Amino acid sequence: MEKYDVTLSFAGEDRHCAEELANLLKSGGYSVFYDDYEKAQLWGKNLYDHFSSVYKDQARYCVMFLSKHYARKLWTKHERQSAQARAFEESREYILPIRLDDAEIPGILGTLGYLDLHSMSIEKIYQILAEKLSGSTSQITPTDILDSTAVESNISEFVLFRLSDGKQYFIPFQDAHWDSTEISLELLPESPEEIAFLRSLRNNLSNRFSQDKLAFALQEDAAWVSPQSVAQSTSDVQTIWKVVLKEDSGEHSFSPLKEIIYNNMSPDQIAEMRARRILLDEKLEYPNPGGFTGFTHDPLLESLIRGETSSSYEPGLQIQESPLPNLYRSFGDTPQRFQKFARLTLALYLKLSSTVEDILQLDLELLEPNQLQVHFKGHRHQGYIIQVNGICPLSQ
């Protein structure tokens, strides 16, 4: 009897796609072999023999993410050959290919039915895979999928814009380039609200005084930015918004000179308290004069934790509480998006509140009921490292 419903074979460069499908399968109650889920079990094993067994004998299906990276890796070659040995022995489909590009993969025939990540989302692929696992697969062919007008576009990554009034826009992008002078984006807005926001940026370009202050996040980086150009390009297939931003490296740049020592607490210790509030929603707690530990009121310490004295302080970005519970209330019904949006929001808060200069690790996992497990590591000036591990409650 197979141990797994699905085993995933992919190159490290394509891990983000495999991880998204693995999380969907896990949330759907399916057993999936994904190496990050098996760290303890893999530790110390002969991986060559173990992987041969996993990909040949231990799963109902093997999903392969085929790409130019997959074609040249030794481990993916070993996984593919093990899966092909299983497919050769059985008279049913076992290998389920997902194409990320047009790279030729040895042993994978062009006649083998596949799904194409250029024409559908991971969520759609999961739905089709779930049908197959349930045994109620409809007769869907690659051609049917490519021609379908109901196919979702492959939107898997987002950028975050935050206005000074607290409004946030998570907008899908198909290309992003961030260098030392500017940020160039190709955005694919999904809603009328996102389109209206981009139009307002374009309309306000000629009037610098009417521009709202913008905080921006991409992956695990964030900055204060000002728009330089906003252009809309429309074809019969899609509309792309090309946006160029300039990073504001002056007024809001990080400066440790504006941080202070308070009550024998260093700026690094205060920043760590701020990080724990952002990530875990921890409130101010320190010893009372009577020797008891509890919540008390200290306006100056509270203002330091909020970041009001840091160089990148912005009235709309006070760290009074974690942004995660509010975000969960808005997007908790779509767990995959919530986790992507949470990463962007945390990057923005951690960096623009001068809590850390660089994010070294930010791992998030939704737990039941309504809890987010957080593993964070961030770097401050002069080599100080902040580490936070814990659980953030997402609802009262």
Side-chain angles (χ1 to χ4, degrees):
M1 180 177 179
E2 293 95 350
K3 180 179 179 181
Y4 304 101
D5 292 310
V6 178
T7 183
L8 304 181
S9 179
F10 58 94
E13 291 85 349
D14 305 319
R15 176 175 292 276
H16 61 288
C17 300
E19 181 175 18
E20 189 170 356
L21 183 58
N23 289 337
L24 287 169
L25 287 164
K26 185 178 179 182
S27 298
Y30 297 103
S31 58
V32 54
F33 178 81
Y34 173 60
D35 56 0
D36 268 8
Y37 296 165
E38 307 272 337
K39 289 180 179 178
Q41 291 81 359
L42 296 177
W43 190 10
K45 273 190 168 59
N46 181 326
L47 296 182
Y48 189 91
D49 292 342
H50 183 69
F51 282 6
S52 179
S53 174
V54 167
Y55 288 95
K56 181 177 181 295
D57 303 317
Q58 296 188 28
R60 292 172 60 191
Y61 295 103
C62 175
V63 172
M64 291 184 182
F65 290 83
L66 306 183
S67 70
K68 61 183 179 181
H69 307 297
Y70 191 94
R72 62 173 180 250
K73 294 296 182 71
L74 291 178
W75 277 110
T76 54
K77 178 181 179 181
H78 176 55
E79 294 164 8
R80 172 178 56 78
Q81 289 176 338
S82 299
Q84 285 173 324
R86 163 75 170 272
F88 181 77
E89 294 173 358
E90 299 191 350
S91 58
R92 66 171 184 88
E93 63 273 17
Y94 171 66
I95 295 174
L96 305 178
I98 300 173
R99 282 207 167 271
L100 280 66
D101 56 37
D102 296 327
E104 291 188 10
I105 310 297
I108 303 297
L109 301 178
T111 55
L112 186 63
Y114 64 87
L115 302 182
D116 193 332
L117 203 52
H118 287 106
S119 61
M120 64 175 55
S121 66
I122 289 291
E123 287 84 356
K124 183 64 176 179
I125 289 174
Y126 164 73
Q127 292 171 9
I128 297 171
L129 180 56
E131 287 183 1
K132 200 169 191 71
L133 288 166
S134 69
S136 61
T137 310
S138 57
Q139 296 302 311
I140 300 176
T141 67
T143 304
D144 294 332
I145 294 165
L146 291 173
D147 291 343
S148 172
T149 58
V151 169
E152 301 177 42
S153 58
N154 176 29
I155 301 301
S156 59
E157 298 300 331
F158 299 77
V159 297
L160 167 59
F161 291 93
R162 187 185 191 279
L163 306 184
S164 60
D165 62 4
K167 288 183 180 178
Q168 297 192 149
Y169 297 92
F170 299 94
I171 304 181
F173 71 91
Q174 72 171 15
D175 190 54
H177 179 73
W178 191 333
D179 62 25
S180 60
T181 58
E182 66 181 25
I183 304 164
S184 301
L185 305 168
E186 292 186 359
L187 304 177
L188 301 170
E190 295 181 307
S191 69
E193 291 78 12
E194 293 169 358
I195 294 172
F197 163 69
L198 293 172
R199 283 178 179 157
S200 70
L201 291 186
R202 183 180 61 190
N203 295 338
N204 290 335
L205 281 175
S206 59
N207 186 355
R208 298 292 180 183
F209 296 103
S210 67
Q211 286 188 8
D212 203 346
K213 192 167 296 181
L214 285 179
F216 173 78
L218 168 64
Q219 295 180 337
E220 294 174 356
D221 205 357
W224 298 102
V225 298
S226 57
Q228 301 299 295
S229 67
V230 181
Q232 179 182 359
S233 175
T234 303
S235 68
D236 57 351
V237 178
Q238 63 182 351
T239 296
I240 300 174
W241 287 77
K242 297 183 179 181
V243 178
V244 177
L245 309 169
K246 181 180 180 182
E247 185 174 353
D248 184 354
S249 58
E251 176 186 357
H252 300 293
S253 60
F254 181 87
S255 174
L257 298 177
K258 294 189 178 182
E259 297 185 313
I260 65 173
I261 298 174
Y262 176 73
N263 199 21
N264 293 323
M265 286 183 286
S266 70
D268 292 327
Q269 290 172 314
I270 294 172
E272 189 158 345
M273 296 174 72
R274 189 183 311 126
R276 296 187 69 84
R277 177 173 295 185
I278 293 170
L279 295 162
L280 305 180
D281 205 24
E282 288 189 0
K283 302 303 189 291
L284 177 59
E285 185 176 5
Y286 66 101
N288 283 317
F292 298 99
T293 298
F295 296 98
T296 66
H297 184 62
D298 186 328
L300 180 53
L301 180 57
E302 177 65 25
S303 70
L304 293 172
I305 294 173
R306 290 186 182 187
E308 296 177 10
T309 60
S310 68
S311 57
S312 64
Y313 166 66
E314 160 67 28
L317 197 61
Q318 294 184 30
I319 313 302
Q320 302 183 53
E321 60 187 3
S322 171
L324 294 174
N326 279 334
L327 194 69
Y328 186 74
R329 281 190 282 272
S330 298
F331 301 103
D333 58 340
T334 54
Q336 299 300 313
R337 287 203 172 198
F338 166 73
Q339 291 189 74
K340 289 178 183 293
F341 295 171
R343 291 180 66 85
L344 288 168
T345 303
L346 292 176
L348 187 146
Y349 272 72
L350 288 162
K351 294 204 67 175
L352 299 191
S353 65
S354 295
T355 302
V356 295
E357 292 187 59
D358 297 294
I359 294 173
L360 306 178
Q361 178 187 9
L362 183 56
D363 296 331
L364 308 175
E365 182 181 357
L366 269 173
L367 306 175
E368 295 295 340
N370 302 332
Q371 295 179 328
L372 186 69
Q373 184 169 285
V374 178
H375 297 288
F376 168 77
K377 183 186 293 184
H379 172 265
R380 282 174 58 80
H381 55 281
Q382 298 182 347
Y384 189 88
I385 299 294
I386 292 177
Q387 286 187 273
V388 176
N389 298 297
I391 292 176
C392 180
L394 298 175
S395 61
Q396 299 298 326

